[in-house]
């Protein structure tokens, strides 16, 4: 089903890196519903008292396993916390950090299955269960990604169980499907590493993506004439633009990008350099250089 608002106005832009309490509440509700149906019973079975067949989820074993692997996550799962307002205490909406939430989603995806009711046990009033692992994972992934999408959250749970950060729309398709072919194996590997790091949910890893991309830029600039970087970049720019004014624009941009790499804490670590910490600034710089690199690679391969 597609919501009427999406039909009328399109889906919400997936730009939010912060997981708000409302999103966390939706995830908690989904997982609690799955626990109640026995969807985690394949890995954490509550066993029938008259035999060895699973009849549901052993929530105690499930929670112990989660706390062992995600120690920052509190159990029972909480969606509110107490806060003092003057002489009173109020319950306010709460969500853990983004990385804790995403780890929790991945843990659940790894262990979820679709429970299939078998024989009915009249004495204990329950069904014996079997499980369809792939269907359970597909349904869980669709449910989580729907929550993310409806709230404009820029994360997506993939079929392999990994979670990626959706790049801003302007270069999303290029980043997610890029297959680098520069003729230089090391450069291809460096660009792929930068691409992969940029799609990581962890902001620290995304900062590393910017550093790796600027390293790639320096290598690309010498790819035509390895012993003469100035001549090499000139040849690259010639291939990218024959028209004089646009060629000049690209040369100015190439010079500016190199200056950025030397001025900010990207390629070097001197105390005089400026650190880049804001996620939006990281996105901006990555996209700016990635666009230039993509243009030069494509022009070189024509």
């Amino acid at each position: 089903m597609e919501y009427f608002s999406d039909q009328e106005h399109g889906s919400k832009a997936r730009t939010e890196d912060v997981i708000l309490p409302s999103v966390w509440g939706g995830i908690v509700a989904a997982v609690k519903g799955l626990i109640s149906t026995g969807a985690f019973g394949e890995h954490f079975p509550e066993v029938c008292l008259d035999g060895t067949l699973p009849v549901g989820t052993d929530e105690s074993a499930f929670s112990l396993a989660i706390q062992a692997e995600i120690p920052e996550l509190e159990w029972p799962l909480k969606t509110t916390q107490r806060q003092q307002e003057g002489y009173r205490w109020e319950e306010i909406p709460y969500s853990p950090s983004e990385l804790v939430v995403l780890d929790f989603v991945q843990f659940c995806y790894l262990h979820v299955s679709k429970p299939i009711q078998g024989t009915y046990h009249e004495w204990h009033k329950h069904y014996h269960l079997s499980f369809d692992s792939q269907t359970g994972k597909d349904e869980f992934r669709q449910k989580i990604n729907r929550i993310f999408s409806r709230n404009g959250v820029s994360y997506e749970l993939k079929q392999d169980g990994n979670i990626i950060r959706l790049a801003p729309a302007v270069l999303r398709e290029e980043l997610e499907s890029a297959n680098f072919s520069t003729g230089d194996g090391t450069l291809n590997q460096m660009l792929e590493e930068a691409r992969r790091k940029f799609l990581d949910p962890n902001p620290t890893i995304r900062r590393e993506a910017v550093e790796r991309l600027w390293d790639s830029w320096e290598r690309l600039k010498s790819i035509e004439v390895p012993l003469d970087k100035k001549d090499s970049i000139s040849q690259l720019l010639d291939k990218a633009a024959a028209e004089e004014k646009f060629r000049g624009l690209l040369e100015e941009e190439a010079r500016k990008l190199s200056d950025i790499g030397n001025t900010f804490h990207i390629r070097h670590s001197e105390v005089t350099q400026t650190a880049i910490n804001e996620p939006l600034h990281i996105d901006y710089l990555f996209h700016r250089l990635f666009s230039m690199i993509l243009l030069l690679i494509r022009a070189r391969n024509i």
Side-chain angles (χ1 to χ4, degrees):
M1 182 197 75
E2 184 179 18
Y3 280 101
F4 183 75
S5 61
D6 290 340
Q7 297 176 34
E8 289 291 298
H9 303 296
S11 300
K12 197 170 185 178
R14 306 279 292 274
T15 58
E16 294 294 333
D17 290 342
V18 176
I19 295 179
L20 297 174
S22 56
V23 177
W24 170 239
I27 294 171
V28 170
V31 171
K32 284 185 174 181
L34 290 169
I35 290 173
S36 69
T37 64
F40 299 102
E42 183 171 18
H43 293 268
F44 306 101
E46 178 187 355
V47 177
C48 177
L49 294 175
D50 289 345
T52 59
L53 296 175
V55 296
T57 299
D58 184 338
E59 187 172 349
S60 176
F62 180 68
S63 67
L64 289 172
I66 287 176
Q67 290 173 291
E69 294 195 28
I70 315 173
E72 301 89 351
L73 184 68
E74 295 184 57
W75 196 277
L77 299 172
K78 70 174 190 177
T79 56
T80 62
Q81 64 180 2
R82 298 188 72 199
Q83 176 176 289
Q84 189 171 10
E85 292 289 342
Y87 295 103
R88 297 184 306 151
W89 288 87
E90 294 183 356
E91 291 288 332
I92 62 171
Y94 163 84
S95 62
S97 72
E98 284 73 32
L99 296 182
V100 169
V101 173
L102 298 178
D103 284 353
F104 175 67
V105 167
Q106 286 185 288
F107 180 94
C108 292
Y109 181 78
L110 179 64
H111 295 97
V112 73
S113 301
K114 185 177 181 64
I116 301 171
Q117 293 182 343
T119 56
Y120 183 68
H121 194 156
E122 180 67 33
W123 180 257
H124 292 293
K125 307 297 182 185
H126 60 216
Y127 288 93
H128 295 151
L129 301 177
S130 59
F131 299 94
D132 181 341
S133 177
Q134 191 57 57
T135 299
K137 285 176 169 51
D138 290 343
E139 292 179 354
F140 179 77
R141 180 167 55 86
Q142 291 166 12
K143 185 174 295 186
I144 293 299
N145 286 337
R146 186 183 186 88
I147 293 172
F148 287 160
S149 176
R150 290 288 298 169
N151 289 274
V153 176
S154 63
Y155 304 115
E156 184 162 280
L157 177 60
K158 308 300 284 187
Q159 192 168 14
D160 62 3
N162 287 317
I163 291 177
I164 65 167
R165 172 180 172 266
L166 297 176
V170 63
L171 283 179
R172 180 177 300 170
E173 186 175 345
E174 294 290 355
L175 279 165
E176 293 179 6
S177 63
N179 183 18
F180 302 106
S181 180
T182 67
D184 182 289
T186 299
L187 179 56
N188 293 342
Q189 185 176 350
M190 292 168 69
L191 289 167
E192 172 57 25
E193 184 180 342
R195 185 197 71 86
R196 178 174 47 81
K197 285 176 177 289
F198 185 70
L199 296 177
D200 195 282
N202 190 330
T204 301
I205 303 298
R206 294 207 296 277
R207 282 196 294 272
E208 293 176 5
V210 175
E211 297 171 10
R212 200 56 173 156
L213 193 65
W214 249 267
D215 290 340
S216 303
W217 171 236
E218 293 303 315
R219 187 173 182 90
L220 175 62
K221 288 194 297 184
S222 64
I223 198 169
E224 294 291 327
V225 187
L227 298 181
D228 190 340
K229 186 180 289 188
K230 184 176 180 180
D231 186 32
S232 182
I233 186 62
S234 180
Q235 291 188 31
L236 280 173
L237 295 174
D238 287 342
K239 291 179 179 180
E243 198 277 323
E244 183 179 354
K245 287 187 177 180
F246 196 79
R247 168 65 168 74
L249 182 150
L250 289 181
E251 184 169 353
E252 182 181 349
E253 177 69 353
R255 188 180 301 110
K256 189 61 179 177
L257 288 168
S258 295
D259 289 343
I260 289 171
N262 293 325
T263 303
F264 291 89
H265 190 174
I266 296 175
R267 296 186 56 245
H268 307 288
S269 303
E270 285 85 350
V271 295
T272 56
Q273 291 183 310
T274 303
I276 302 171
N277 297 313
E278 289 292 331
L280 288 176
H281 298 170
I282 291 171
D283 285 353
Y284 167 75
L285 290 177
F286 188 95
H287 284 153
R288 184 171 174 178
L289 180 55
F290 187 82
S291 296
M292 172 64 93
I293 289 175
L294 206 59
L295 171 63
L296 295 183
I297 290 174
R298 287 177 171 172
R300 186 171 184 266
N301 290 338
I302 292 176

